[in-house]
């Protein structure tokens, strides 16, 4: 099923953890509709701007899969409203993706996930299905072995 011109449902459902653990990762029809909004408003504009395939490292997570990967109980991944993008090994950096989204797109939340001051390990971005976008920008850091989220400057 196409979510946008360059994104199919299978890409946002793919999970090695779900395969290994035998966890169902099938989104509901409502979650699929949410992903279509995210695809049209965030994914597709990124794809068209950079003109290269965009690599999604995490998309939809069923509640069981989210628990298995240690995700937040309020994760937007579980509602079909978030993707993680990781462009390692391509001609586009994660920082370029982050800055393009920040400067050009409407989004709910974006997180510079760990990495260095010049490039995150991956970029988390969400699009709230009701259309009420917070444009919240955070940076994930490790403090004493735990993940903390601080405002991105």
């Amino acid at each position: 099923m196409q979510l946008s011109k360059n994104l199919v449902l299978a890409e946002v459902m793919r999970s090695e953890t779900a395969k290994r653990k035998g966890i169902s990762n099938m989104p509901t029809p409502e979650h699929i509709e949410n992903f279509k909004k995210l695809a049209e408003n965030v994914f597709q504009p990124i794809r068209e701007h950079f003109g290269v395939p965009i690599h999604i490292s995490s998309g939809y997570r069923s509640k069981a899969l989210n628990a298995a990967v240690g995700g937040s109980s309020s994760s937007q991944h579980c509602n079909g409203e978030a993707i993680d993008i990781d462009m390692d090994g391509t001609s586009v950096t994660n920082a370029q993706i982050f800055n393009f989204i920040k400067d050009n797109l409407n989004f709910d939340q974006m997180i510079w996930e760990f990495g260095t001051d010049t490039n995150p390990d991956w970029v988390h971005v969400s699009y709230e299905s009701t259309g009420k976008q917070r444009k919240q920008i955070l940076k994930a850091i490790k403090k004493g072995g735990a993940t903390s989220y601080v405002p991105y400057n």
Side-chain angles (χ1 to χ4, degrees):
M1 170 189 287
Q2 290 292 137
L3 299 175
S4 71
K5 180 181 174 188
N6 297 105
L7 185 62
V8 296
L9 181 59
E11 286 180 81
V12 298
M13 291 174 49
R14 183 184 67 244
S15 168
E16 293 303 316
T17 301
K19 282 184 202 173
R20 277 194 311 273
K21 297 186 177 229
I23 298 171
S24 172
N25 199 40
M26 180 60 66
T28 67
E30 178 185 345
H31 295 159
I32 292 170
E33 289 305 310
N34 293 347
F35 265 124
K36 286 180 180 177
K37 292 174 186 175
L38 186 150
E40 292 165 10
N41 291 285
V42 179
F43 177 89
Q44 197 60 42
I46 296 168
R47 174 68 169 85
E48 289 173 6
H49 174 76
F50 290 101
V52 298
I54 303 302
H55 301 278
I56 297 175
S57 59
S58 182
Y60 182 71
R61 293 186 203 148
S62 65
K63 295 286 185 189
L65 176 58
N66 193 57
V69 300
S72 165
S73 61
S74 62
S75 173
Q76 288 179 288
H77 286 278
C78 298
N79 298 325
E81 295 178 332
I83 56 175
D84 293 341
I85 299 171
D86 187 353
M87 299 300 289
D88 287 353
T90 73
S91 61
V92 177
T93 67
N94 292 330
Q96 287 174 300
I97 296 288
F98 183 93
N99 288 317
F100 175 76
I101 296 168
K102 177 174 63 71
D103 296 339
N104 299 284
L105 302 180
N106 200 13
F107 59 90
D108 185 51
Q109 183 183 69
M110 187 169 58
I111 305 172
W112 179 287
E113 298 276 5
F114 310 105
T116 66
D117 287 339
T118 58
N119 198 51
D121 287 340
W122 70 91
V123 176
H124 167 93
V125 62
S126 66
Y127 188 86
E128 219 288 323
S129 59
T130 64
K132 296 179 181 178
Q133 311 309 320
R134 296 175 289 173
K135 290 204 94 160
Q136 180 183 51
I137 305 175
L138 303 171
K139 184 174 184 178
I141 58 171
K142 288 283 186 189
K143 277 188 178 175
T147 301
S148 293
Y149 296 94
V150 299
Y152 176 84
N153 306 4

